[in-house]
Amino acid sequence: MAAALLLGTSSAQAQMALQQDSQEALRKLSIAEMAVKSLYVDDVDEKKLVEDAIRGMLEKLDPHSTYSTPKETKEMTEPLNGSFEGIGVQFNMVEDTLIVIQPTLGGPSEKVGIIAGDRIVAVADTAIAGVKMSKEEIMRRLRGPKGTIAHLKVVRQGIRDTLRFDVKRDKIPVHSIDAAYMLRPGIGYIRIGSFSATTYHEFMESLKKLQQEGMRDLVLDLQENGGGYLQAAADLAGEFLNQGDLIVYTEGRRVQRSDYHARGGGSFLLKKGKKGQPDEGRVVVLVDQYTASAAEIVTGAIQDQDRGLVVGRRTFGKGLVQRPISFDDGSMIRLTVAHYYTPSGRCIQKPYKKGDKRDYAMDIVNRLKSGELIHEDSIHFADSLKYYTLRQHRVVYGGGGIMPDYFIPLDTTRYTRLHRELAAKSIVIQQNLRYVDQHRAELRLQYPDFAAFKAGYNVPQSLIDAIMADGEKQNIKPRDDEELRQTLPMLRLQLKALIARDLWDMSEYFSVMNEENDAVNKALELLGEMRNK
């Protein structure tokens, strides 16, 4: 009893000492801030002083604990919340003129009659064309609170007079599903760009649509998906798993373990045929070095539960969970409070040094230099990081991203130097926009649907010539005939995809581009093998 009492007293004293240290630290910080504000030789912005102090604290922690100003917070949360307020158009700039690519279906602009190809030349009698206004400033003028009116002046081909539209701003959805279409008979393709508040709902709509079109198996593309909401990822992963299957769990120093399980009744469960072999519901997940966070949760759950195969390159390796802490002025701290772990127990957070964000940011570049993105045998894992999948007991590794089941090397020869420089100078996109703008009506007439376009359209030589002529004006030209020969196939494919996007949408863009995507073609090969077993 005396020993227990002594231990209790010792624990209480330690707790009191910690509280005292904490109070002294806060008092020290307060005195420092007060001294600078009161005594410093020049005037100081007290608000900025406090923000800099917060940033200073967080910079010494992990790479994902951050502070954002009210403006930065709004910009960061809009895509995650799944909407923003504005007029609802996809647009691009050709030189200094805004051209509408597509009005949002059912959005404010479409409702008043704005169509693809329209040029918005003024907002509220302020010219935005021919004045070298930045794209960000134009977006600021077009966006605004729901219910407010944007008074637009529009120039339309074939119409002599300038048109006037009063567009009532509204909530505009931000879609996180980039593409959803039938890749082959029986095989669907869904590409997810991020995990937002609306991703699960969007995914279920896409899944249902493809199942109605005869989808039996799925290629789930998470390449370049930087993550987002953990809950959205967990809900989505649950659609592939049986009730009770573990998806992910989180745990931290002050955060108790929290498990996320499949709730049952998944819409894409594995079904077996008469012979007991898988008959449908097979899935292949595509990943690359930019696949991170919530996207790694989905990938890890499918791999660890032996639910499907993973194809691509080792993922980014973000296994840290951030908790948002909001301030009254709209600013926010995103503080790392836990690690997340895949069902086999892997923590896939890649190594980092506290306070060294530069080395962390250079990781992808270092992977390229080491040859990892090109040669599978350049990737090495310690035996201490070895784990096993839950059903088939296959070896998987923790300690830095998710290693795919089938490695696809980065093809550094696909885009030549010439192609990269033409794209970097926006020559490809600008000439594409001009071409579609001039030929939209005749293209629509000649190709009434995408299937006819994909099967029959060929990029005209005149468009290639225009790109090369523009490039030459900026001293971008092929070094020799061989470089030009190597450039043309991918350039033509990209242009066809961009034209498809501008005439229809992103699903059509990926439908064209994926025909030459090594990871997609490997997925098709694997699904064919699985179906024939």
Side-chain angles (χ1 to χ4, degrees):
M1 175 69 74
L5 187 62
L6 188 62
L7 284 171
T9 303
S10 176
S11 176
Q13 288 174 339
Q15 188 67 30
M16 287 178 62
L18 284 172
Q19 289 177 353
Q20 187 175 354
D21 288 346
S22 178
Q23 290 170 358
E24 287 180 0
L26 289 172
R27 184 168 175 269
K28 185 176 181 180
L29 185 63
S30 179
I31 291 171
E33 190 271 337
M34 191 180 303
V36 174
K37 180 184 70 173
S38 305
L39 302 174
Y40 185 64
V41 62
D42 297 320
D43 289 336
V44 293
D45 182 336
E46 189 173 3
K47 185 177 179 181
K48 186 175 184 303
L49 201 64
V50 172
E51 288 183 344
D52 288 345
I54 294 171
R55 292 185 197 275
M57 283 190 286
L58 298 179
E59 282 173 1
K60 299 300 181 184
L61 304 179
D62 66 279
H64 298 289
S65 290
T66 58
Y67 169 81
S68 55
T69 65
K71 181 182 177 183
E72 291 167 343
T73 301
K74 187 173 185 293
E75 291 172 351
M76 178 176 63
T77 55
E78 272 182 350
L80 290 175
N81 290 336
S83 68
F84 64 91
E85 294 175 349
I87 67 168
V89 293
Q90 297 177 42
F91 72 90
N92 219 318
M93 303 298 295
V94 176
E95 293 173 347
D96 56 359
T97 302
L98 182 155
I99 295 182
V100 175
I101 302 300
Q102 296 284 352
T104 302
L105 187 65
S109 291
E110 186 190 53
K111 287 178 181 176
V112 300
I114 290 176
I115 63 174
D118 280 352
R119 290 159 166 76
I120 300 176
V121 296
V123 182
D125 292 325
T126 299
I128 63 171
V131 294
K132 302 295 182 184
M133 188 178 288
S134 70
K135 191 172 182 178
E136 291 72 21
E137 177 62 18
I138 291 172
M139 288 177 66
R140 187 187 70 78
R141 292 175 182 275
L142 294 176
R143 290 187 179 186
K146 178 181 177 180
T148 59
I149 305 297
H151 303 285
L152 308 181
K153 290 182 179 178
V154 172
V155 172
R156 180 174 296 169
Q157 282 190 334
I159 305 295
R160 179 179 299 176
D161 298 328
T162 299
L163 306 174
R164 293 175 179 268
F165 294 95
D166 292 333
V167 183
K168 188 175 183 179
R169 296 182 178 96
D170 205 344
K171 286 276 187 184
I172 308 301
V174 177
H175 297 293
S176 57
I177 302 291
D178 291 337
Y181 70 96
M182 292 300 292
L183 191 59
R184 295 288 187 274
I187 301 176
Y189 170 92
I190 297 177
R191 181 182 173 96
I192 305 177
S194 62
F195 284 89
S196 71
T198 61
T199 299
Y200 175 71
H201 176 70
E202 291 178 51
F203 176 77
M204 294 305 296
E205 284 188 341
S206 298
L207 200 65
K208 183 178 179 180
K209 170 181 169 288
L210 294 182
Q211 286 175 327
Q212 289 171 348
E213 293 177 18
M215 179 181 70
R216 296 169 60 198
D217 302 321
L218 174 66
V219 176
L220 180 63
D221 192 347
L222 300 181
Q223 294 176 101
E224 299 180 9
N225 184 316
Y229 287 142
L230 183 151
Q231 187 62 56
D235 289 344
L236 190 147
E239 294 301 320
F240 297 94
L241 303 174
N242 294 308
Q243 184 173 4
D245 283 350
L246 181 62
I247 296 167
V248 66
Y249 66 92
T250 62
E251 193 170 19
R253 180 176 67 93
R254 291 294 183 92
V255 177
Q256 290 185 342
R257 174 168 169 159
S258 178
D259 291 8
Y260 294 75
H261 293 275
R263 291 176 293 194
S267 299
F268 205 71
L269 296 175
L270 195 64
K271 300 177 179 66
K272 294 186 177 180
K274 295 179 181 178
K275 297 181 180 179
Q277 294 297 322
D279 186 51
E280 61 179 90
R282 289 166 285 250
V283 60
V284 175
V285 183
L286 308 184
V287 299
D288 64 10
Q289 62 273 22
Y290 299 108
T291 304
S293 189
E296 292 175 297
I297 288 173
V298 174
T299 306
I302 289 174
Q303 188 179 55
D304 281 9
Q305 294 286 359
D306 290 300
R307 177 60 185 85
L309 296 174
V310 179
V311 170
R313 293 179 288 280
R314 181 166 69 96
T315 61
F316 184 85
K318 181 183 180 292
L320 301 175
V321 182
Q322 283 73 50
R323 176 175 294 171
I325 301 168
S326 300
F327 295 101
D328 292 340
D329 66 351
S331 60
M332 178 190 291
I333 286 176
R334 297 183 75 248
L335 186 67
T336 297
V337 296
H339 290 88
Y340 73 71
Y341 299 84
T342 68
S344 67
R346 288 184 286 170
C347 177
I348 56 150
Q349 174 60 44
K350 62 186 177 184
Y352 62 89
K353 295 178 183 177
K354 288 185 178 180
D356 188 356
K357 294 189 178 183
R358 184 181 181 280
D359 183 64
Y360 190 80
M362 291 295 290
D363 177 61
I364 302 298
V365 175
N366 293 335
R367 291 192 203 185
L368 181 60
K369 288 180 178 178
S370 71
E372 175 188 324
L373 301 182
I374 302 169
H375 305 290
E376 184 177 10
D377 56 9
S378 296
I379 307 168
H380 303 287
F381 293 101
D383 285 344
S384 60
L385 300 173
K386 187 183 293 185
Y387 293 80
Y388 297 91
T389 61
L390 302 185
R391 287 170 171 76
Q392 298 176 13
H393 306 292
R394 297 179 297 122
V395 173
V396 289
Y397 290 93
I402 292 173
M403 187 64 189
D405 302 303
Y406 292 88
F407 177 78
I408 302 295
L410 178 68
D411 188 348
T412 57
T413 65
R414 176 163 291 180
Y415 293 96
T416 64
R417 174 210 58 90
L418 174 63
H419 194 160
R420 291 195 302 271
E421 291 189 10
L422 290 169
K425 293 289 186 179
S426 299
I427 293 169
V428 175
I429 192 73
Q430 291 289 313
Q431 282 294 344
N432 168 75
L433 288 167
R434 288 192 187 97
Y435 172 80
V436 174
D437 191 44
Q438 293 167 7
H439 300 281
R440 187 185 300 273
E442 63 187 83
L443 286 168
R444 281 290 199 184
L445 189 64
Q446 187 174 357
Y447 303 103
D449 57 48
F450 174 66
F453 174 88
K454 188 176 180 181
Y457 178 78
N458 291 303
V459 174
Q461 185 61 39
S462 59
L463 179 53
I464 300 294
D465 292 342
I467 289 172
M468 293 304 165
D470 255 14
E472 195 158 343
K473 290 175 186 175
Q474 300 190 45
N475 201 31
I476 302 171
K477 45 193 172 184
R479 288 172 179 153
D480 50 37
D481 290 344
E482 179 60 21
E483 184 178 32
L484 180 61
R485 187 190 66 78
Q486 291 178 357
T487 299
L488 289 179
M490 279 307 298
L491 180 58
R492 290 184 185 278
L493 184 73
Q494 182 188 22
L495 287 166
K496 183 173 180 176
L498 288 169
I499 293 165
R501 179 203 66 180
D502 293 350
L503 294 176
W504 289 279
D505 211 331
M506 289 303 293
S507 287
E508 288 73 20
Y509 171 87
F510 283 103
S511 179
V512 173
M513 290 299 293
N514 282 341
E515 292 302 311
E516 298 296 330
N517 186 302
D518 292 338
V520 171
N521 288 327
K522 183 64 178 180
L524 289 171
E525 177 190 325
L526 291 170
L527 288 170
E529 291 175 359
M530 286 187 273
R531 181 171 291 183
N532 293 327
K533 279 185 178 179

